Amino acid sequence: MDQLQRQLESYFNGTVQSFYIPLCYHGSHFTTSVWRELLNIPAGETRSYSEIAQKLGRATAVRAVAQANGANQIAILIPCHRVIGADGSLTGYGGGLWRKQKLLEIERQYQGG
C-alpha cells in the first residue's frame, strides 16, 4: 500500500505516467484482455471503444468493450478514463464525467498540452 500511495502521489504531481503495481485480474478472458489493452494507452492519449474492439480483433464487440471497461474496479491503475466515444465525447465513467475530464487534463500536462 505504501508503494501504491507513493505512485498515486507521483501521478497526481505529474512526475509519473504509469503504475508499476502488480495487478490481479478477476474477470473473463475477454474482460481482462480489454483491461490489458487499457494499460497500453499512454497517459495523455485516448482511444474509443471501437478502436479497442478493433485492436482486440473483435470489431463488432464495441458494447462488450464498454461493459468490460465499466467493470474495471481499479480505475486510474487500469486507466478506463482514457476511453471515449467514437465522436470524441466523454462517455460514462463510474467516478463521474467531471472526474474523467479532470484525469485527462492532468495527463495532458505530460505532453505539454
Side-chain angles (χ1 to χ4, degrees):
M1 292 304 287
D2 291 338
Q3 180 184 12
L4 176 58
Q5 181 179 346
R6 284 190 304 275
Q7 287 188 25
L8 283 168
E9 287 171 356
S10 295
Y11 170 83
F12 285 109
N13 290 332
T15 57
V16 70
Q17 299 177 30
S18 303
F19 298 96
Y20 300 97
I21 298 291
L23 302 175
C24 181
Y25 301 107
H26 296 283
S28 70
H29 174 73
F30 179 79
T31 298
T32 58
S33 68
V34 170
W35 295 341
R36 285 187 184 100
E37 193 57 38
L38 298 180
L39 292 168
N40 291 325
I41 304 171
E45 294 185 20
T46 58
R47 301 289 184 274
S48 70
Y49 297 99
S50 58
E51 287 175 310
I52 293 170
Q54 291 173 0
K55 182 82 171 173
L56 295 173
R58 305 267 310 265
T60 61
V62 176
R63 287 185 186 203
V65 167
Q67 185 176 14
N69 196 53
N72 174 22
Q73 295 182 354
I74 47 178
I76 300 178
L77 299 183
I78 298 177
C80 53
H81 61 278
R82 295 178 187 156
V83 184
I84 59 173
D87 63 357
S89 64
L90 296 185
T91 57
Y93 185 67
L97 291 180
W98 69 270
R99 188 168 283 126
K100 182 175 191 167
Q101 178 66 41
K102 183 65 175 170
L103 291 169
L104 292 172
E105 288 172 7
I106 288 169
E107 293 181 353
R108 284 191 185 108
Q109 74 185 353
Y110 299 141
Q111 273 71 41

